[in-house]
Amino acid sequence: MAEETAEHHEVIVLGAGIAGLKCCEDLHVRDVDFIALEARDRFGGRIYTDRSGKASYEIGPSWAHDTLMNPLFDEIVDSDYDFDLYYDDDEPYYFGEKLEDGDFRSYRVLQVVEELKKYIELAYFQELGRKDVPLKEICLNYAFRQRKLLSPEQIIYAPQFLRLLELWHGISWEATSSKYALVDNVGRNCVLRNGYDQVINNIVKKLPPDRLFKNSVVSKIHYDAKNIELFTTDNHRYTCDYLVVTVPQSILQLEPEEQGGIKWEPELPERIETPLDRMSFGKLGKFVFEFAEPFWKHHDTDRFIAVANPDPSETETILGALKHNRVPTLPRIDEEQLPRPWDFPVLILNLYRVNGVPSLLCFTQGPLTEYLERNPAEAWNYMKPIISRLAKKPEDVLEPENVISSQWTLDPYSRGSYAACRPGDDPTDLVIQLTRGIGNVRFAGEHTILDGAGAVHGAWMSGKREAKYILIKTGRMKGEIDF
Amino acid sequence: MAEETAEHHEVIVLGAGIAGLKCCEDLHVRDVDFIALEARDRFGGRIYTDRSGKASYEIGPSWAHDTLMNPLFDEIVDSDYDFDLYYDDDEPYYFGEKLEDGDFRSYRVLQVVEELKKYIELAYFQELGRKDVPLKEICLNYAFRQRKLLSPEQIIYAPQFLRLLELWHGISWEATSSKYALVDNVGRNCVLRNGYDQVINNIVKKLPPDRLFKNSVVSKIHYDAKNIELFTTDNHRYTCDYLVVTVPQSILQLEPEEQGGIKWEPELPERIETPLDRMSFGKLGKFVFEFAEPFWKHHDTDRFIAVANPDPSETETILGALKHNRVPTLPRIDEEQLPRPWDFPVLILNLYRVNGVPSLLCFTQGPLTEYLERNPAEAWNYMKPIISRLAKKPEDVLEPENVISSQWTLDPYSRGSYAACRPGDDPTDLVIQLTRGIGNVRFAGEHTILDGAGAVHGAWMSGKREAKYILIKTGRMKGEIDF
């Protein structure tokens, strides 16, 4: 292509998710010449509210997290927008294939889970060189330490409750770093009852429509000290002074020839490539079932939590080893095998409580998400035995009228949910390197920030951070760069 | 008194509570010449198990705390002694004068309490220079910040739940530092069903009886670079090379002329006196009621928690101010006035669940303890309206057959329970200075240590620390002094 066809802007923002859009908003307020290039045919990225059914359903993020230290949430609370906030945080109802909430409570499993979390925290806090092991393995270390003090039910079920972290990270406990698995909630988590896409729409409304380009897939970025050039798959060429790359970490990790992959010229520096290789990407899935009636018990309960069955052979191994004062070891689960119901914990949001619609939203993780997103017709088959346990009588269970599935693992521009840590991964390195950027090539998104990592407000703050960087560098704003 | 009457020992340990006894144990194992001087007519100090009734009752500490980082507890678990451990940590049953557990749960108060605790943590963690205010006051700051997000019930009752911290510190929320009020549980808390005095007895059994002197009240300590001399109220004089002072902080704070007070020659150095003046002392009280039958509901519940009534005039002030976006301010409560039932939260241990005896053990704090310990006949009058709420029917309520009261505030050698922080107090300074000691004059006890501060294992570890110090200094042990 000839040089003269290139379109030049002071700033190009790659990706119009919340990070990119927030960056655009802050640039636009100061009259910066910018455009945003978005690969998808919609804005919002991994924020996606499905409105095809009886209510709005969050297929992306469900909550505003850390609401005591969430400046986006503060803005929402102070705004005049009709956000309709709801804390869906009452006591969850826990159940297993053969156990009820009351059983788990009489076993005092939740108390042991709290102690197990403290054990993990101490393990890595006290012994700085301690090797990071999978979440599953550290549960065995704890059980061994406390073997004289725990009941068999606590030994077997406390780890199954800890597995609920799978539904935060989107990967199974065998694949999860125990060092980085625990979630520190900084304030309650709040649902935006009218849909998270409102946040996106409110920003988009403030921006000139002719600056936002959908269906623009950038496949090559050339950068040097003087110029930044972008090439799209439909043969457009852009140049800019500053580039803000907000594509997901999973996209940065793609080979250039894969769909969505970006060819960097020169290649990304070693200091970014190395920590990039040392990070994983989660696969949180969401499946909404709409029914004619809410057939489940406990209409006033926000959340139902299906506790997975402990593997019977594992149970025997663990209890036997502990009885003889030995640390149990475990065979790895075969990930090729199709998961069965009760192999994984499932978090189920009761939308009848939240929105008054007779629908349930189920969360899935790691290998299960991939399987069900590829075979959405199987989703109900998989969940039916689990959800049926919530009905008063078996004959009350209805077939869903509608199933809405997430497609994140199939989406070439997402490839899953958000950044996750395998054992041994170190999220801090990558954040530090991406925050430094490469000269005028900047990075934003949930994977580029520590406070609010993986969350909407983290992505939003990272967009704000990069806009500020550019505004200060170009003399439009006074102040100090935050990092 | 003539010089020749002085009895000399290499080490004298002042006080035979758990800190002093543990120090003696470790010295004795290495054949150090030591004696311990105890003011009371019994060993154990503030560990005191009453065995005058139907079961053993803890009038001192009830729990082994922080059981994941409690070396004394590890020793107990690994020992052959018949300790009979029990975690009394199931969900407490919360009730108010007019509310039931279910009411508080449907208000989602506990969720707000967790957020309120996080708010306090962030306040002092994020703003290092932030002024320490009473626990009561910071609750209002939180309510103001969250005023648009909380229900009136949450605004009024969440602070009343936070007041349960009064029953950790032994002082009222008006007198409690909010900076140091939160308790970080490092593992579950465990009851020693057969009595905490077993721990004392097990150490005493290992020591030669002729080294432990009861009824020995030391009233004067003379120390210089060469000599340490102790004078008792019954005119004994001792000299030693090393002195380990394990008397409570409250006793260090006494004037020399008061009963139990110690005249130091020279006076304690400024570096110790100043932080000593900046620490308070808690007044946790315990009242056991023995009944003919367990007339209360919920036999399987370990703990009942009586939530205090919010003051009605305060309630109006708070809600009114928040409605108009103003930070509420509050008048101070008149401490001279006799407390009424429901003015204070009460923690009630259900000993029927723990030991099978039809008894209840009630915890009290600050001004209430002093009043009830002085007037033990009033204890049942005070608690009756509260405890009656636990009966199925009013006519089920029985009069107690026996009341056993703590006497810590009246005890001249305790003067209360354990170290506590008023707003502005700094516990770290005092710990650092006492740990340094004054040459060969050493200090131990719950008030001289950070990990395990105020707890049995903290006191025990501080005794171990000082024994180790002396063993290393005298060349009996190799190793490094820990501080």
Side-chain angles (χ1 to χ4, degrees), chain B residues 292-482:
Chain B
E293 297 289 335
F295 62 79
W296 47 93
K297 293 180 288 194
H298 307 298
H299 285 173
D300 284 349
T301 300
D302 296 320
R303 294 168 297 158
F304 306 117
I305 290 175
V307 177
N309 285 341
D311 183 290
S313 70
E314 282 185 11
T315 302
E316 227 169 279
T317 312
I318 295 170
L319 293 179
L322 294 178
K323 204 173 159 187
H324 295 94
N325 289 341
R326 283 198 308 270
V327 186
T329 52
L330 285 178
R332 270 193 81 79
I333 296 298
D334 180 6
E335 289 219 356
E336 300 305 304
Q337 207 183 307
L338 288 190
R340 292 157 306 178
W342 305 104
D343 274 359
F344 285 92
V346 182
L347 168 63
I348 304 169
L349 303 190
N350 177 13
L351 299 180
Y352 191 66
R353 175 74 181 95
V354 176
N355 273 331
V357 289
S359 310
L360 297 173
L361 193 162
C362 300
F363 286 60
T364 60
Q365 64 285 78
L368 180 56
T369 301
E370 284 155 303
Y371 177 71
L372 295 182
E373 287 190 347
R374 276 194 170 70
N375 306 282
E378 293 293 311
W380 176 242
N381 290 339
Y382 184 90
M383 294 296 175
K384 186 176 177 177
I386 298 169
I387 288 175
S388 299
R389 288 276 289 107
L390 295 170
K392 268 187 209 155
K393 293 169 292 180
E395 57 269 33
D396 290 348
V397 179
L398 300 176
E399 294 295 306
E401 297 180 336
N402 189 18
V403 180
I404 299 167
S405 304
S406 62
Q407 295 283 288
W408 300 115
T409 59
L410 304 177
D411 176 350
Y413 307 118
S414 300
R415 310 260 175 172
S417 52
Y418 42 76
C421 292
R422 287 163 307 209
D425 285 355
D426 183 351
T428 322
D429 272 7
L430 182 62
V431 169
I432 291 171
Q433 294 304 332
L434 291 179
T435 308
R436 274 179 62 190
I438 318 168
N440 288 357
V441 177
R442 315 296 311 162
F443 295 90
E446 52 86 12
H447 57 297
T448 70
I449 194 159
L450 289 174
D451 282 337
V456 173
H457 68 286
W460 183 86
M461 290 191 291
S462 74
K464 204 175 154 84
R465 175 190 72 206
E466 295 308 328
K468 187 176 170 191
Y469 177 91
I470 294 169
L471 293 170
I472 291 173
K473 282 283 183 181
T474 58
R476 289 183 177 87
M477 192 173 153
K478 283 185 178 154
E480 279 185 34
I481 289 161
D482 293 332

Side-chain angles (χ1 to χ4, degrees), chain A residues 68-69 78 86-87 89-90 108 111-112 115 118 122 126 145 148-149 184 186-188 302 353, chain B residues 68-69 78 86-87 89-90 108 111-112 115 118 122 126 145 148-149 184 186-188 302:
Chain A
L68 274 183
M69 261 184 62
D78 284 337
Y86 175 74
Y87 293 101
D89 63 355
D90 71 346
R108 305 194 182 190
Q111 290 84 326
V112 174
E115 186 169 87
K118 199 76 195 180
L122 291 174
Q126 291 202 303
R145 188 196 193 290
K148 293 184 182 177
L149 298 161
D184 179 31
V186 189
R188 302 165 76 192
D302 295 321
R353 174 74 181 96
Chain B
L68 273 183
M69 260 183 63
D78 284 337
Y86 176 73
Y87 293 100
D89 63 353
D90 71 345
R108 304 192 182 190
Q111 290 85 326
V112 173
E115 186 168 88
K118 198 78 196 178
L122 291 173
Q126 291 200 304
R145 189 197 192 287
K148 293 185 181 175
L149 298 162
D184 178 31
V186 189
R188 302 165 77 194
D302 296 320

